[in-house]
Amino acid sequence: MSQSTTAQIIRETLAAELRRDPRLFLMGEDIGAYGGSFGVTRGLLAEFGDQRIRNTPISESGFVGTAIGAAVAGMRPVVEIMFMDFITQAVDQLVNMAAKLHYVYGLNCPLVIRTAMGAGRSYGATHSQCLERLYFGVPGIKIVAPASGADFAALLQGAIADPNPVLFLEHKLLYPLRWEMPETPPEPVAPGSARIARAGTDVTIIGWSWMAFEAERAGASLADKEVEAEVIDLRSLAPLDMATLLASAGKTRRVLIVEEGPRTGGVAAEIAAQIAEQLPDGLDFPVQRLAMPDCPVPSARTMEAALMPNAATIAAAALDLATRV
Amino acid sequence: MSQSTTAQIIRETLAAELRRDPRLFLMGEDIGAYGGSFGVTRGLLAEFGDQRIRNTPISESGFVGTAIGAAVAGMRPVVEIMFMDFITQAVDQLVNMAAKLHYVYGLNCPLVIRTAMGAGRSYGATHSQCLERLYFGVPGIKIVAPASGADFAALLQGAIADPNPVLFLEHKLLYPLRWEMPETPPEPVAPGSARIARAGTDVTIIGWSWMAFEAERAGASLADKEVEAEVIDLRSLAPLDMATLLASAGKTRRVLIVEEGPRTGGVAAEIAAQIAEQLPDGLDFPVQRLAMPDCPVPSARTMEAALMPNAATIAAAALDLATRV
Amino acid sequence: MPDFIHAYDRMLLIRRFEEAVEQLFAEGRIMGTAHTCIGQEATAVGVAAALKPCDAITSTHRGHGHFLARGADPGRLLAELFGRANGYSRGRGGSQMMMDPSIGFYGTNGITGASVAFAAGLALQSRMTRGERVVVAFFGDGASSQGVLHETLNLASLWRLPLIALCEANGYAMSTPQAVGVSVASVADRGAAYGIPGVSVDGNDFEAVHDTVADLAARARRGEGPALLECRTYRLSGHSRGDRREYRTREEEADAWQREPIGRLAGRLREEGLLDDAGLAEHEAAAAARVAEAIAFAEASPEPDLATIAEGVFA
Amino acid sequence: MPDFIHAYDRMLLIRRFEEAVEQLFAEGRIMGTAHTCIGQEATAVGVAAALKPCDAITSTHRGHGHFLARGADPGRLLAELFGRANGYSRGRGGSQMMMDPSIGFYGTNGITGASVAFAAGLALQSRMTRGERVVVAFFGDGASSQGVLHETLNLASLWRLPLIALCEANGYAMSTPQAVGVSVASVADRGAAYGIPGVSVDGNDFEAVHDTVADLAARARRGEGPALLECRTYRLSGHSRGDRREYRTREEEADAWQREPIGRLAGRLREEGLLDDAGLAEHEAAAAARVAEAIAFAEASPEPDLATIAEGVFA
Ligand SMILES: Cc1ncc(C[n+]2csc(CCOP(=O)(O)OP(=O)(O)O)c2C)c(N)n1
Ligand SMILES: Cc1ncc(C[n+]2csc(CCOP(=O)(O)OP(=O)(O)O)c2C)c(N)n1
Ligand SMILES: [Mg+2]
Ligand SMILES: [Mg+2]
């Protein structure tokens, strides 16, 4: 076992894949000498050279489009978009091109887009968003958002192995966290499966990325209050692992979904709708959502902290739901 | 009373607003001599000249950004994006700029983006999408999508009067439809209110744009089967008029939401989630959604027709829900 | 020297095909939309004649000609417009989404300008694998205003990609004259903005197009990077179905018909003694027959299976 | 002739301000991120000196200098970085989202390149209302690769907007040297791609910047349309907090320090007999005092009211 940060785990997974598959290469702004804004690719340039660790100009639409073409031609591009907020510039290429290639032409597009999501660093409204909702409703794009060290390794391998475009979401607050990692890397996990982070019987808490991490802490804290929360780390937003969610919901009959992002129009709404549709008599109370209010993310630390759900507010909401009569 | 098509109603409303407010001007591809892809602005160039009916180069990101700046500076731009599918190219300008101007700076941005949405014309996967979901979860953007002649006039005036960015969605299939219109134009309707298109007691059907039109037809056809459907034309997606929806849902206790667009991750999910949250004991059955499967829109007429909900499939789903025991 | 007779055949096939498409729309036998390329055949065929089988092309909304020039089966192409199961995209794509990688044709495209970035990706693969492939990315004068063009040319230049960005300057973007939509006299002048060659040729001159593309492709194959090529031509068709062409005069069109490429090539064939009037008529008849066959094939094609509509979103 | 002493004051204020920002980050007294502009002061101040009060500026992620040059209150600017209620954006914006339309400053901007389109909109309003306003849109060498730049310059040229697109070519985009990210020697060379003047000046020479901007602004005010101006400078600071500057050498930096603009202007002031050493020292002290005051103001500012966080999304 060894201790690694999330950033190191991503880097080592990328390095291993680069060693294994000569078709793999990385593209993105300042991923070379600088190692990317969050240092994830630091050191890879030295080992793999600038043909495989390609610094791009600041052209999110152009280089994502280029990566799509390269993927179709047989390469395995892994693109870094520095902040998820900038993926707004690649929507056309991803929605109108990548997402439709298999359906219309039967073409594989083995493309991974890694990007740093989320608030918590006082970066302000254009550097703090969770924009998975832009792609969540678009058929043809897979989305994964791990919350643990092992999953960053497992799901990144799974995303790279996938023949479809996959968004791989990395929360900024997870990068510096340290995890115990086994010497041999975990097996790949394909997009599409959730992880039971904590088993329980009284209430189901569903989250992903940083919210899954906080939910797990919330679940632990509830044990002191004699509430056994089942915490599900969604991991994969598209496809959704409804089987796991429904099994848990059917067992606990009380479901709380936590989302970092404005309440209206997020991923939680879809999960809530599906659970309600599929368990017509299975819940004691309607599915609850804990999310941010419908506003941009302000930069001031005080305001940002007040907006984001965290272990304490998740625990409070889950406790309320679990003990409601 | 006179008969006008939807396209004429939009045109006349624009013309009246252009006459009334010298700050108003139109921008878009081929809106001048050509009158736009759907002929909506035909003839306006002759009356208002090329300073106010501005043909743009094919630069959706650049000209939407330009319109945002002009709006902030005191103009009233009404932008046409030829097909909603191309609004993918303006996501950055709308999400990272327009949507945040009032929250962060307290600035008004009186911008209207008109665009042609939806399937039904065999235009294929990149010219047939309903992409309101891209903006629906973004705080700071209003979205309206009328379904009747009067509402096109009323809501377009309301959108133009609104000091915020408003997406004004025009379904392609509505353009040629004819409506009886009063001689004096209807009063403006601000974004934020739904319309009860048909009152009823047995089941609530919610739709917007073309789906509201089809839902109204479905409602009428159900009367023959002794089912009184209440049909709600949502009209405004953001803000949502939850009061009207909840009142109807509380009354009928059975709700069907119809969405043109892939089932997963759409607007219907949010409405379903909110109704479930806010009427914990108020429904006989979970909210039902009728939408398209999770795939792109194929071009072949046969396939496209099979995918789109229509009056018959809506009526069947509503009948099933209304008569379920 | 390129094969003039073969080129003539292809240009005729394209012309007859596009005329048939317009006719089929007018008769309501096909639905949706299509953009025909009447008058622009020499560019499509000139490019195709200059490329090797390993090379690749990406196309636009106005792509039937590019596809046919590259060797598409007119029957399958038309079946796609009919929305049939053995169309190139099994009825899922339509005119603006057709592809056949097996002949190096990477798609028509309904999003103006977007395919040029995709083309750069094909070129990047070629460069990274030290392949021989050169990629020609078609786009229009109107598309030249799209930001993704700028991003792609900058990147292609920096990375020395084997890419020829080929602007079919046909005078209009829909109704917008080039002078109203493009702020520079020739799109080729923008090559200087990326440190790459910017070349302009008469796009109605099959041989000129062929020779220029052959040169630029050879240059790209030598690893010397991308180029920007403007082919000056004229769209004799309307933009798409229902275009009343109020934005230009009939005189201007009549004038442009004087310079249309097929008659020009026929003249050349006659001059060079390659074909006489009887020969020309024979090729005319063959093209017409080929299109009639294609229509028959398309109309006899099966409808797509509606049970599988939602399948195949993911690999 | 521009007011050299006033310019010197502003440049000093900016320098001291940016040093303070770096210090405050290092001490953990402010959070988030900021990009300082040490070494680039002459461009910001040269532009501001050349503009009229009716004119407008749009800025970038590296915008403190532009804002201060245009007359921002350093206290309110710093209060914004502290996330306080009387910061320019009431703590909602941070370094990359600050604006004050009352002084014609239309915002720093965290999305590289995006503000240039916004600037064109301000210029369009000016043109449509026959106003006097000229708009200067700052962007970086890195931003020059963004498609929206291309779209905006094309449109601005076609519509003859009173817009000066001003590239601060400071050698790097984050870690990417200009030669690695920009495919042309000078961004100014791209003016030709839009039929507009492309001018390049020494951005560390206050007077040269001033004079060039004054000329281009006068031209724009006469209705002759936009221009592209490159100001060649050097970012002496790191890109942002935590930049180890491994992508360049300390020698290169030392060399660049030789050409930094404030010492240069001080020399000029001495030469022209406008200020002697004592005078210069006085101005130095005044700038330092002004920044100290700003810090005190910012730290004494109230925290935002958390009860109203979600308010004000819509007008
Ligand atoms: C992003 C986008 N914007 C607008 C359109 C609508 N549109 C289709 S073709 C066209 C004109 C294209 O002009 P040009 O590039 O010159 O090609 P041409 O039609 O002349 O062949 C327009 C505006 C589109 N398909 N995609
Ligand atoms: C759309 C977008 N892409 C990437 C970034 C990340 N980013 C911020 S500043 C920067 C470098 C900008 O370089 P340049 O334009 O030269 O300005 P400079 O930092 O040198 O002032 C990058 C890549 C961003 N903010 N926005
Ligand atoms: Mg054209
Ligand atoms: Mg720079």
Side-chain angles (χ1 to χ4, degrees):
Chain A
M1 303 286 276
S2 72
Q3 283 242 331
S4 306
T5 65
T6 303
Q8 283 167 340
I9 293 166
I10 300 169
R11 180 187 316 135
E12 279 157 24
T13 307
L14 289 172
E17 295 284 324
L18 281 160
R19 278 177 215 122
R20 208 178 48 73
D21 187 346
R23 299 167 304 175
L24 200 78
F25 69 100
L26 314 189
M27 285 172 79
E29 293 158 11
D30 301 285
I31 62 169
Y34 202 94
S37 223
F38 298 93
V40 170
T41 56
R42 189 177 289 278
L44 297 181
L45 176 66
E47 179 173 351
F48 300 101
D50 65 5
Q51 291 303 296
R52 297 186 71 199
I53 311 295
R54 302 186 84 93
N55 255 16
T56 62
I58 309 174
S59 309
E60 281 81 2
S61 169
F63 70 71
V64 167
T66 300
I68 294 168
V72 164
M75 304 297 289
R76 293 282 178 281
V78 176
V79 174
E80 176 174 305
I81 302 245
M82 199 182 279
F83 285 72
M84 188 176 206
D85 312 71
F86 315 152
I87 209 170
T88 51
Q89 306 207 341
V91 175
D92 180 58
Q93 291 289 339
L94 290 169
V95 169
N96 284 324
M97 185 68 104
K100 294 172 172 50
L101 288 168
H102 198 269
Y103 181 77
V104 176
Y105 304 121
L107 281 183
N108 289 3
C109 180
L111 166 69
V112 176
I113 309 258
R114 296 176 39 243
T115 192
M117 76 192 295
R121 304 256 321 235
S122 282
Y123 285 159
T126 58
H127 284 65
S128 306
Q129 294 166 95
C130 291
L131 292 176
E132 53 271 38
R133 60 188 61 196
L134 291 183
Y135 295 98
F136 176 65
V138 178
I141 294 183
K142 298 190 179 183
I143 311 174
V144 295
S148 74
D151 273 354
F152 270 99
L155 286 157
L156 183 52
Q157 293 174 70
I160 289 171
D162 200 286
N164 301 288
V166 182
L167 302 187
F168 187 87
L169 309 185
E170 306 169 358
H171 201 288
K172 296 176 190 80
L173 297 180
L174 290 171
Y175 283 133
L177 298 196
R178 294 192 165 277
W179 311 90
E180 289 292 337
M181 292 292 285
E183 290 310 327
T184 48
E187 287 297 300
V189 170
S193 80
R195 173 178 70 97
I196 309 231
R198 185 178 195 289
T201 48
D202 300 332
V203 60
T204 299
I205 313 178
I206 302 169
W208 59 96
S209 193
W210 181 249
M211 290 297 104
F213 180 82
E214 290 286 293
E216 206 172 332
R217 289 179 51 206
S221 78
L222 287 171
D224 303 342
K225 302 206 167 62
E226 323 253 288
V227 168
E228 290 305 329
E230 179 143 301
V231 178
I232 302 187
D233 173 4
L234 198 58
R235 301 199 300 195
S236 174
L237 281 61
L240 278 174
D241 179 2
M242 284 310 298
T244 298
L245 303 186
L246 291 169
S248 179
K251 180 173 67 174
T252 65
R253 305 182 63 86
R254 294 162 193 232
V255 180
L256 173 71
I257 313 174
V258 192
E259 179 161 12
E260 185 189 327
R263 181 182 186 84
T264 302
V267 175
E270 177 65 34
I271 300 171
Q274 286 200 35
I275 292 175
E277 280 160 4
Q278 295 180 45
L279 291 179
D281 304 305
L283 298 181
D284 295 336
F285 299 99
V287 176
Q288 303 291 305
R289 293 182 289 166
L290 179 66
M292 314 229 288
D294 288 333
C295 68
V297 183
S299 56
R301 189 171 35 155
T302 51
M303 289 197 270
E304 196 182 34
L307 282 187
M308 287 177 83
N310 59 41
T313 59
I314 297 168
L319 182 64
D320 174 65
L321 181 58
T323 57
R324 204 182 286 179
V325 285
Chain B
M1 304 286 276
S2 72
Q3 282 241 334
S4 306
T5 65
T6 302
Q8 284 167 340
I9 293 166
I10 300 169
R11 180 187 316 135
E12 279 157 24
T13 306
L14 289 172
E17 295 284 325
L18 281 160
R19 279 178 213 121
R20 207 177 49 73
D21 187 347
R23 298 167 305 176
L24 199 80
F25 69 100
L26 313 189
M27 284 170 79
E29 292 157 12
D30 301 284
I31 62 168
Y34 203 95
S37 224
F38 297 93
V40 171
T41 57
R42 188 177 289 277
L44 296 181
L45 176 66
E47 178 173 352
F48 300 101
D50 65 4
Q51 291 303 295
R52 298 186 70 197
I53 311 297
R54 302 187 84 94
N55 255 16
T56 61
I58 309 174
S59 308
E60 283 80 3
S61 168
F63 70 70
V64 167
T66 299
I68 295 168
V72 164
M75 303 297 289
R76 293 282 178 282
V78 176
V79 174
E80 177 174 305
I81 302 243
M82 198 181 279
F83 286 72
M84 189 176 206
D85 312 72
F86 313 154
I87 209 169
T88 51
Q89 306 207 342
V91 176
D92 180 57
Q93 291 289 338
L94 289 170
V95 169
N96 284 324
M97 185 68 105
K100 294 172 172 51
L101 288 168
H102 197 269
Y103 181 77
V104 176
Y105 305 122
L107 281 182
N108 289 4
C109 180
L111 166 70
V112 176
I113 310 257
R114 296 177 40 244
T115 191
M117 76 193 296
R121 304 256 321 235
S122 280
Y123 284 159
T126 58
H127 285 64
S128 306
Q129 295 167 94
C130 291
L131 292 177
E132 53 271 37
R133 60 189 62 196
L134 291 183
Y135 294 98
F136 176 66
V138 179
I141 294 182
K142 297 189 178 184
I143 312 175
V144 296
S148 74
D151 273 354
F152 270 99
L155 285 157
L156 184 50
Q157 293 174 71
I160 289 171
D162 200 286
N164 301 288
V166 182
L167 302 187
F168 187 87
L169 309 185
E170 306 169 359
H171 201 288
K172 296 176 190 79
L173 297 180
L174 290 170
Y175 283 133
L177 298 196
R178 294 191 166 277
W179 310 90
E180 289 292 337
M181 291 293 284
E183 290 310 327
T184 46
E187 287 297 300
V189 170
S193 79
R195 173 177 70 97
I196 310 233
R198 184 179 195 288
T201 47
D202 300 333
V203 60
T204 299
I205 312 178
I206 301 170
W208 57 98
S209 194
W210 181 248
M211 289 297 104
F213 180 81
E214 290 286 293
E216 207 172 333
R217 290 178 50 206
S221 78
L222 286 171
D224 305 342
K225 304 208 165 61
E226 325 252 287
V227 168
E228 290 304 329
E230 178 144 301
V231 178
I232 302 188
D233 173 4
L234 198 59
R235 300 199 302 194
S236 175
L237 281 60
L240 278 174
D241 180 2
M242 285 309 298
T244 298
L245 304 185
L246 291 169
S248 179
K251 181 173 67 174
T252 65
R253 305 182 63 89
R254 293 160 193 234
V255 179
L256 173 70
I257 314 174
V258 192
E259 179 161 13
E260 183 189 329
R263 180 181 187 84
T264 302
V267 175
E270 177 65 35
I271 300 171
Q274 285 200 36
I275 292 176
E277 280 160 2
Q278 294 180 46
L279 290 178
D281 303 307
L283 299 179
D284 294 338
F285 299 99
V287 176
Q288 302 291 306
R289 293 182 289 166
L290 180 66
M292 314 228 287
D294 288 331
C295 68
V297 182
S299 56
R301 191 173 31 155
T302 51
M303 288 197 270
E304 196 183 34
L307 281 187
M308 287 177 84
N310 59 40
T313 59
I314 296 168
L319 182 64
D320 174 65
L321 181 58
T323 56
R324 204 181 286 177
V325 284
Chain C
M1 203 177 81
D3 181 340
F4 285 104
I5 297 184
H6 182 253
Y8 185 65
D9 266 345
R10 280 282 155 91
M11 284 164 63
L12 275 176
L13 173 66
I14 294 170
R15 177 71 58 89
R16 292 293 98 79
F17 186 91
E18 295 291 60
E19 288 164 354
V21 167
E22 295 191 350
Q23 185 65 25
L24 290 163
F25 269 115
E27 294 170 3
R29 288 158 73 193
I30 51 180
M31 292 289 143
T33 193
H35 309 80
T36 57
C37 67
I38 293 173
Q40 306 181 199
E41 297 87 352
T43 299
V45 174
V47 168
L51 296 183
K52 300 194 180 186
C54 67
D55 294 334
I57 282 176
T58 64
S59 172
T60 68
H61 57 289
R62 199 176 302 288
H64 305 164
H66 307 150
F67 200 6
L68 290 169
R70 186 68 179 170
D73 171 355
R76 287 187 63 202
L77 202 170
L78 211 45
E80 186 59 33
L81 304 194
F82 272 86
R84 299 300 169 87
N86 51 9
Y88 269 106
S89 305
R90 295 160 293 146
R92 292 178 168 198
S95 171
Q96 303 191 78
M97 291 189 101
M98 294 187 294
M99 198 185 273
D100 187 356
S102 76
I103 58 169
F105 184 80
Y106 281 88
T108 57
N109 197 307
I111 302 294
T112 305
S115 53
V116 182
F118 185 90
L122 302 177
L124 176 59
Q125 185 269 349
S126 175
R127 180 150 174 94
M128 287 185 75
T129 58
R130 298 169 197 280
E132 253 213 305
R133 170 179 278 181
V134 167
V135 185
V136 174
F138 284 98
F139 64 100
D141 46 298
S144 73
S145 302
Q146 285 279 37
V148 73
L149 253 292
H150 171 74
E151 298 189 356
T152 303
L153 291 177
N154 183 54
L155 181 143
S157 169
L158 292 166
W159 293 4
R160 290 201 167 216
L161 302 183
L163 177 74
I164 301 173
L166 191 148
C167 180
E168 282 183 288
N170 62 1
Y172 294 88
M174 206 159 158
S175 69
T176 306
Q178 189 163 333
V180 173
V182 183
S183 58
V184 73
S186 162
V187 171
D189 294 345
R190 290 188 174 153
Y194 311 103
I196 62 175
V199 183
S200 185
V201 295
D202 180 348
N204 285 359
D205 179 342
F206 161 73
E207 196 177 12
V209 173
H210 168 275
D211 292 354
T212 312
V213 172
D215 282 355
L216 294 174
R219 183 178 173 279
R221 247 184 273 280
R222 289 194 303 270
E224 293 169 33
L228 178 58
L229 171 60
E230 179 191 65
C231 295
R232 298 183 312 275
T233 178
Y234 192 91
R235 159 169 64 68
L236 293 167
S237 348
H239 170 70
S240 66
R241 215 148 55 97
D243 179 358
R244 311 183 191 180
R245 311 193 323 282
E246 287 171 5
Y247 48 85
R248 66 190 191 190
T249 63
R250 298 298 80 81
E251 291 69 46
E252 178 185 306
E253 292 176 354
D255 200 54
W257 272 104
Q258 300 303 313
R259 296 185 303 276
E260 72 81 29
I262 295 185
R264 240 165 101 169
L265 186 57
R268 181 78 191 271
L269 290 169
R270 251 195 242 95
E271 275 166 36
E272 307 253 351
L274 290 166
L275 283 179
D276 59 12
D277 283 355
L280 288 168
E282 232 168 73
H283 285 271
E284 280 273 0
R290 190 73 199 81
V291 170
E293 244 174 64
I295 296 175
F297 172 85
E299 281 194 308
S301 293
E303 295 283 354
D305 175 6
L306 298 184
T308 60
I309 298 184
E311 291 174 11
V313 174
F314 290 111
Chain D
M1 202 177 82
D3 182 339
F4 284 105
I5 297 184
H6 183 254
Y8 185 64
D9 266 344
R10 280 281 157 89
M11 285 165 62
L12 275 176
L13 173 66
I14 295 170
R15 177 71 57 89
R16 291 295 96 78
F17 186 92
E18 295 292 59
E19 288 165 354
V21 166
E22 296 192 347
Q23 185 66 25
L24 290 164
F25 269 115
E27 293 169 5
R29 288 158 73 194
I30 52 181
M31 292 290 142
T33 192
H35 308 80
T36 57
C37 68
I38 293 173
Q40 305 181 202
E41 298 87 351
T43 298
V45 173
V47 168
L51 295 184
K52 298 193 181 188
C54 66
D55 293 335
I57 282 175
T58 64
S59 173
T60 68
H61 57 289
R62 199 176 302 287
H64 305 163
H66 306 149
F67 201 7
L68 289 168
R70 186 67 180 171
D73 171 356
R76 288 187 63 201
L77 202 169
L78 211 45
E80 186 59 33
L81 303 194
F82 272 86
R84 300 299 169 87
N86 51 9
Y88 269 106
S89 305
R90 296 160 295 148
R92 291 178 168 197
S95 170
Q96 303 190 80
M97 291 190 102
M98 294 186 293
M99 195 184 274
D100 187 356
S102 76
I103 59 169
F105 184 81
Y106 281 88
T108 58
N109 198 308
I111 302 295
T112 304
S115 54
V116 183
F118 184 90
L122 301 177
L124 177 59
Q125 185 271 347
S126 175
R127 182 151 173 93
M128 288 185 74
T129 59
R130 299 169 196 278
E132 253 213 305
R133 171 179 278 181
V134 168
V135 185
V136 174
F138 284 99
F139 64 99
D141 46 297
S144 73
S145 303
Q146 285 280 37
V148 73
L149 254 292
H150 172 74
E151 299 190 356
T152 303
L153 291 178
N154 183 55
L155 180 143
S157 170
L158 292 166
W159 293 4
R160 290 201 168 217
L161 302 184
L163 177 73
I164 301 172
L166 192 148
C167 180
E168 282 183 288
N170 62 3
Y172 293 88
M174 206 159 158
S175 69
T176 307
Q178 189 164 332
V180 173
V182 183
S183 58
V184 72
S186 162
V187 171
D189 294 345
R190 290 186 176 156
Y194 310 103
I196 62 175
V199 184
S200 185
V201 295
D202 179 350
N204 285 358
D205 179 342
F206 160 72
E207 197 177 11
V209 173
H210 168 275
D211 292 353
T212 312
V213 172
D215 281 355
L216 295 174
R219 183 178 172 279
R221 246 184 273 280
R222 289 193 304 269
E224 293 170 32
L228 178 57
L229 171 60
E230 178 190 66
C231 295
R232 300 184 310 276
T233 177
Y234 191 90
R235 161 169 62 70
L236 293 167
S237 349
H239 170 70
S240 65
R241 214 147 57 96
D243 178 359
R244 309 183 193 180
R245 310 194 323 282
E246 287 171 6
Y247 48 84
R248 66 190 191 191
T249 63
R250 298 299 79 81
E251 291 70 45
E252 179 185 306
E253 292 177 354
D255 200 53
W257 272 104
Q258 300 302 313
R259 294 185 303 277
E260 71 82 29
I262 295 186
R264 239 165 102 169
L265 186 57
R268 182 78 192 272
L269 289 169
R270 250 194 242 98
E271 273 167 36
E272 306 254 350
L274 289 166
L275 283 179
D276 60 11
D277 282 357
L280 290 168
E282 233 170 71
H283 285 272
E284 280 273 1
R290 190 74 199 80
V291 170
E293 244 174 63
I295 297 175
F297 172 85
E299 281 196 309
S301 294
E303 294 283 354
D305 175 5
L306 298 185
T308 60
I309 300 183
E311 293 174 10
V313 173
F314 289 112

